[in-house]
Amino acid sequence: MVSEAKEVQESIVNQVFPEAAGQDVPPEQLRDEYEVLADQVRKLRFAYYNEDSPLASDAEFDRLYRRLEELEALHPELVTNDSPTQEVGGEVSAAFTAVDHLVRMYSLEDVFSLDELRTWVTRAEASVEKIGGHAPLRWLTELKIDGLAVNLLYRNGTLVRAATRGDGTTGEDITHNALTIREIPRQLAGTDHPAEVEIRGEIFIASKAFAELNESMVEQGKAPFANPRNAAAGSLRQKDPAETAKRPLSMYVHGIGAKEGLQTLTQSETYRQLQEWGLPTSPYFKVLDSYDEVLDFIAHYGTHRHDLTHEIDGIVVKVDDFATQRALGYTSRVPRWAVAYKYPPEEVHTKLLDILVNVGRTGRVTPFGLMEPVKVSGSTVEMATLHNQDVVRAKGVKIGDIVVLRKAGDVIPEIVGPVLALREQQQPPVRDFVMPTHCPSCGTELAPAKEGDVDIRCPNARSCPSQLRERVFHLAGRGAFDIEALGWEAAIALTQPAEPATPPLTNEAGIFHLTPEDLAGVLIERDKKVKGEVTGRELVPYFYSRGTAKKPSVPTANTQKLFRELEKAKSQPLWRVLVALSIRHVGPTASRALATAFRSMEAIRAASEEQLADVPGVGPIIGQAVKEWFDVDWHREIVDSWASAGVRMADETDESTPRTLSGLTVVVTGSLTGYSRDEAKEAIITRGGKASGSVSKNTHYVVAGENAGTKLEKAEQLGLRVLDEEGFTRLLAEGPAGVDGAAEGGEEADDDNEDAGLRVEVDEPA
DNA sequence: ATACCTCGAGATCG
DNA sequence: CTCGAGGTAT
């Protein structure tokens, strides 16, 4: 073991040394060698921190580490955010940093009945037949484990990274914790390892282990976990891997993401390969030749659901054959070759104590049920939205009813309906819910925005405290001004405090003019707790410390932070200011489009509806919404007031970034080395281009990075121009002229232009 | 909609 | 020690 590691090190040092000395080496080769070295350093560090016997001496480790630093110093463009040098002194500060999956982690389409499953299967088989395949298909069925998805990246057989699913594109690095899980091998068994393979699995806690874990928690006087899934999730979020190591985490693998040099042809064959590499697959999966057998499988585990070693939330049915999987392909969110069947959700009874209404950011009034807290599918539920008046009526529930409650689609609690047999005996007697006619927050009469709308709204947008609170909360959010220290509670304290009667803010116009003096004496009402028990409500100061005889009441550290954050927020880019205004239909995407097109608030305000609608990605609805928003006096006052407080209302017209991509749509797919996904997007937008997520005939350029997927295939089908990273860089710098070479005399090239020199061939991924 | 983690601040207690 | 805030997960 040790001598093998040494050999690897020698070869790495020898490979890397020449570049470190500054010789000319092709960039791809440099990149490869850099990654080999970085992986090696990671591997040795893992071994050092997580195993009994280190693979290399301290001196050897240091030598490799210094080489890596040297290389990074000479070629800063190589440094990735998961580089071992980015970790501080052995502390794995890579923990929880964002990492891009090489291949997107899709979710699965859910079906909630056998009818829906039948429909899904029929459609899948029909489309396979249409492209020359034949039904019936061979299916692989498996249990859908109720745990957390992980993505394990192995390079040449060595685990180099474990990440959570995140949004499917970008997850969080949890390598430090994944390494404490026995079932996750640091090194794959056998010899024939692909250069690079992403293995997808599910981390969970087995039922028996969970019961024992909770027993020991209780013994230690700690609160038991609510359910195995949350316990597993919490365990993976531990900062200290030693803590994670104490949790009985397990894992089964069930798929492959990126792969380079993996030869298997079916899902089941892949599972066998994974087993040979020492990765645990579920003992429960089956390969079945008929739909009837699939139904049997579902029925069987329906009755034996609770006899299993772990919890499940359904059954996954996959097409076994890879060629057929490829033929079926993906929608934007899910594969067309797999589906998740969900067993009917657990239903419980509880008392509907009241139906209250919420007034949202846009004034929409939403009723929600308040219930006697009850356990359903692993959590304690006491609230459930009822959407609107019509839904309450359709469900037929009355306040005081015993109701049927379940978690629809896994997460959101749903009141199904009343238990009518129990209605008569309720004390106090049940009563009808009556939608309020006046706003519970400001007393203004409620009305639908338009004749016939089901939603009713509070028209007092300007000063309704509820709406204001929601807007303040929103403008402070991560997608807008990003004001830390201004959360839910602070928004209440600013807009609807218990005292004083006149809140510090009666309108968001004033937020940047607040002074610490405005916040003195603000009290909010909060649960009073004695030893964790709620004993009532109490008034507490929010922005200032509790004054005593000796100490005067002074602004708290958090309040000081709030003012620093407000100051910082004033220099946020224009698009964030636009998001902060809470204009209907104007979220981050439309805001970015408007900001790039007009570059200043003044220009947007002055634009006609048509000019607004002409902006790529805006359109008539948003154009109208923006125009109408600026037609309102108090809206313009918000902008003026913020501007007078020093909020930046224009993006610098930076001459150094010429608008080379004006009118062009660019799609980036796969991973680039020099740009993160967001950076690439930003680079396109700041040059006047449109960064789109999907390939169509309106796409002008497709930039294909490593492991580009179906988007590249589609681009090729459509005959679009495909650029590699270098081409992308040229495109950014010089516009079409930079990549069209000697294209015909300045004429805008057609979409179907196929300049061979510009095309990159990339192996078709899984 | 809820559970769980981390962090920092401030209250509480000996 | 407890709380709010901010993040993640399904």
Side-chain angles (χ1 to χ4, degrees):
Chain A
M1 198 60 171
V2 170
S3 68
E4 185 190 310
K6 250 183 203 158
E7 268 174 43
V8 183
Q9 290 162 39
E10 291 305 332
S11 67
I12 290 163
V13 172
N14 292 339
Q15 279 168 33
V16 169
F17 190 73
E19 296 85 62
Q23 292 174 17
D24 274 344
V25 172
E28 312 81 55
Q29 196 189 329
L30 187 62
R31 175 104 223 144
D32 287 350
E33 290 173 5
Y34 168 79
E35 284 185 356
V36 172
L37 179 60
D39 283 353
Q40 201 58 25
V41 169
R42 274 190 209 106
K43 184 177 167 184
L44 293 177
R45 177 173 284 170
F46 293 161
Y48 181 80
Y49 282 99
N50 298 288
E51 284 171 2
D52 298 336
S53 57
L55 290 175
S57 72
D58 289 356
E60 287 164 339
F61 176 83
D62 284 348
R63 197 160 52 106
L64 278 172
Y65 188 82
R66 277 198 300 275
R67 286 278 175 248
L68 187 66
E69 285 185 319
E70 211 175 315
L71 189 60
E72 289 184 346
L74 284 167
H75 302 281
E77 74 280 4
L78 292 178
V79 184
T80 55
N81 62 3
D82 62 341
S83 162
T85 61
Q86 304 298 300
E87 304 170 2
V88 185
E91 288 302 307
V92 190
S93 76
F96 307 125
T97 54
V99 290
D100 282 357
H101 304 306
L102 302 188
V103 168
R104 182 170 161 192
M105 292 179 83
Y106 287 87
S107 45
L108 289 174
E109 179 168 343
D110 291 327
V111 294
F112 296 97
S113 70
L114 296 177
D115 270 356
E116 285 179 55
L117 180 65
R118 173 87 253 178
T119 307
W120 186 91
V121 164
T122 308
R123 208 174 28 174
E125 292 191 326
S127 40
V128 167
E129 285 190 331
K130 204 183 283 175
I131 44 187
H134 47 273
L137 293 172
R138 170 172 284 205
W139 302 103
L140 182 145
T141 53
E142 61 195 8
L143 307 185
K144 189 167 194 296
I145 303 164
D146 193 11
L148 295 91
V150 268
N151 189 26
L152 306 173
L153 175 60
Y154 286 87
R155 288 213 187 95
N156 298 311
T158 303
L159 179 68
V160 297
R161 199 171 72 194
T164 61
R165 184 183 178 289
D167 64 4
T169 303
T170 306
E172 272 188 333
D173 192 318
I174 52 157
T175 317
H176 63 302
N177 286 333
L179 284 165
T180 69
I181 301 173
R182 288 225 162 286
E183 277 108 322
I184 300 182
R186 287 145 190 71
Q187 189 69 46
L188 297 181
T191 49
D192 53 335
H193 304 134
E196 190 164 70
V197 60
E198 279 182 313
I199 293 163
R200 272 74 194 271
E202 194 84 0
I203 292 179
F204 62 97
I205 296 180
S207 309
K208 192 161 156 244
F210 177 71
E212 289 163 6
L213 173 65
N214 263 357
E215 255 174 61
S216 81
M217 296 292 286
V218 173
E219 269 169 34
Q220 292 166 55
K222 296 183 212 164
F225 290 103
N227 61 59
R229 204 194 60 71
N230 283 334
S235 303
L236 288 180
R237 299 209 59 72
Q238 293 293 141
K239 208 182 78 170
D240 180 5
E243 209 47 53
T244 308
K246 293 178 196 159
R247 309 284 175 79
L249 295 166
S250 302
M251 180 199 61
Y252 284 141
V253 296
H254 57 232
I256 296 279
K259 59 176 186 187
E260 228 171 80
L262 182 76
Q263 300 301 325
T264 52
L265 297 173
T266 64
Q267 190 83 23
S268 47
E269 205 182 309
T270 305
Y271 285 7
R272 265 196 298 283
Q273 173 68 80
L274 293 174
Q275 284 164 17
E276 279 166 27
W277 287 337
L279 290 156
T281 54
S282 168
Y284 298 111
F285 85 86
K286 280 217 161 67
V287 181
L288 303 172
D289 279 310
S290 74
Y291 182 63
D292 282 345
E293 289 172 278
V294 172
L295 292 180
D296 290 344
F297 186 92
I298 290 174
H300 178 264
Y301 288 108
T303 52
H304 293 92
R305 185 166 174 180
H306 301 290
D307 314 339
L308 301 166
T309 56
H310 55 75
E311 301 216 334
I312 63 172
D313 57 354
I315 300 291
V316 181
V317 181
K318 293 173 177 166
V319 170
D320 193 39
D321 179 51
F322 276 168
T324 312
Q325 286 188 3
R326 265 197 303 278
L328 284 166
Y330 294 81
T331 72
S332 61
R333 332 169 357 256
V334 295
R336 291 201 184 87
W337 48 264
V339 68
Y341 169 82
K342 297 294 184 81
Y343 289 113
E346 178 197 0
E347 295 189 336
V348 297
H349 289 182
T350 185
K351 194 176 178 92
L352 179 60
L353 301 172
D354 207 349
I355 296 177
L356 306 172
V357 300
N358 225 329
V359 182
R361 178 159 68 101
T362 59
R364 192 167 75 180
V365 178
T366 316
F368 64 97
L370 197 63
M371 291 153 298
E372 197 84 57
V374 63
K375 292 265 276 181
V376 213
S377 307
S379 66
T380 305
V381 171
E382 56 178 332
M383 281 190 274
T385 178
L386 285 162
H387 302 100
N388 59 53
Q389 209 171 355
D390 288 7
V391 170
V392 179
R393 202 176 304 127
K395 289 183 188 292
V397 289
K398 297 179 191 259
I399 297 162
D401 264 332
I402 301 297
V403 293
V404 178
L405 180 74
R406 68 180 177 197
K407 289 228 199 125
D410 276 348
V411 190
I412 311 295
E414 179 195 4
I415 293 171
V416 180
V419 182
L420 289 173
L422 299 176
R423 178 171 279 176
E424 295 302 317
Q425 67 201 61
Q426 296 310 311
Q427 276 316 323
V430 302
R431 60 192 166 93
D432 273 312
F433 164 70
V434 186
M435 198 68 172
T437 55
H438 292 76
C439 177
S441 179
C442 67
T444 308
E445 189 170 1
L446 303 172
K450 281 198 295 280
E451 189 80 22
D453 274 4
V454 285
D455 290 332
I456 61 165
R457 317 189 97 92
C458 168
N460 179 22
R462 180 177 194 172
S463 48
C464 171
S466 267
Q467 291 184 59
L468 177 59
R469 176 196 69 215
E470 299 287 340
R471 288 201 305 268
V472 168
F473 183 66
H474 169 78
L475 72 82
R478 218 165 47 134
F481 280 123
D482 196 13
I483 301 166
E484 271 181 60
L486 209 183
W488 179 247
E489 198 100 347
I492 292 175
L494 288 172
T495 59
Q496 21 181 215
E499 273 181 44
T502 309
L505 283 184
T506 50
N507 185 301
E508 64 264 52
I511 189 155
F512 290 103
H513 289 292
L514 284 174
T515 64
E517 294 75 54
D518 297 334
L519 304 181
V522 170
L523 305 182
I524 62 164
E525 196 182 278
R526 208 184 258 170
D527 279 349
K528 182 182 175 71
K529 284 184 186 167
V530 179
K531 289 186 183 173
E533 294 293 301
V534 179
T535 56
R537 306 281 286 172
E538 63 179 340
L539 291 184
V540 293
Y542 187 82
F543 294 107
Y544 278 56
S545 62
R546 240 187 260 269
T548 62
K550 287 177 190 161
K551 285 185 189 170
S553 173
V554 293
T556 64
N558 240 335
T559 300
Q560 293 168 30
K561 182 175 186 186
L562 173 62
F563 282 101
R564 283 198 306 276
E565 289 281 323
L566 281 166
E567 209 47 48
K568 256 175 42 189
K570 291 179 184 173
S571 48
Q572 289 282 24
L574 178 61
W575 73 266
R576 287 176 169 276
V577 183
L578 283 166
V579 173
L581 291 172
S582 282
I583 304 172
R584 286 259 204 119
H585 306 119
V586 182
T589 311
S591 293
R592 280 195 146 100
L594 289 166
T596 1
F598 292 100
R599 325 227 98 207
S600 77
M601 191 67 82
E602 210 32 63
I604 295 171
R605 188 196 291 207
S608 71
E609 201 173 317
E610 291 72 34
Q611 287 170 322
L612 292 164
D614 275 349
V615 174
V618 175
I621 306 248
I622 298 175
Q624 189 187 354
V626 172
K627 191 73 207 159
E628 284 177 0
W629 192 90
F630 276 105
D631 282 344
V632 177
D633 290 350
W634 68 269
H635 287 162
R636 289 196 306 272
E637 283 163 19
I638 295 171
V639 174
D640 293 340
S641 173
W642 288 0
S644 75
V647 174
R648 184 154 100 191
M649 291 290 169
D651 283 344
E652 275 127 52
T653 323
D654 190 349
E655 295 302 322
S656 67
T657 54
R659 298 166 56 71
T660 46
L661 301 183
S662 184
L664 298 176
T665 299
V666 184
V667 174
V668 178
T669 178
S671 51
L672 303 178
T673 53
Y675 310 79
S676 74
R677 217 162 275 273
D678 281 347
E679 284 163 359
K681 213 174 208 179
E682 201 73 45
I684 294 164
I685 293 170
T686 56
R687 285 163 183 78
K690 187 178 168 201
S692 170
S694 59
V695 176
S696 75
K697 65 180 190 335
N698 298 321
T699 307
H700 297 91
Y701 294 95
V702 174
V703 179
E706 286 284 304
N707 296 295
T710 50
K711 285 177 200 167
L712 178 58
E713 286 172 38
K714 185 152 182 208
E716 282 166 350
Q717 277 166 24
L718 291 169
L720 302 177
R721 275 170 293 178
V722 178
L723 304 177
D724 59 6
E725 182 160 351
E726 203 192 323
F728 179 53
T729 306
R730 278 204 310 274
L731 180 70
L732 292 175
E734 302 165 43
V739 290
D740 283 355
E744 52 272 53
E747 195 70 19
E748 169 81 2
D750 294 320
D751 277 350
D752 58 2
N753 174 348
E754 286 198 51
D755 184 339
L758 299 176
R759 298 185 65 91
V760 233
E761 298 305 328
V762 176
D763 286 341
E764 182 194 311

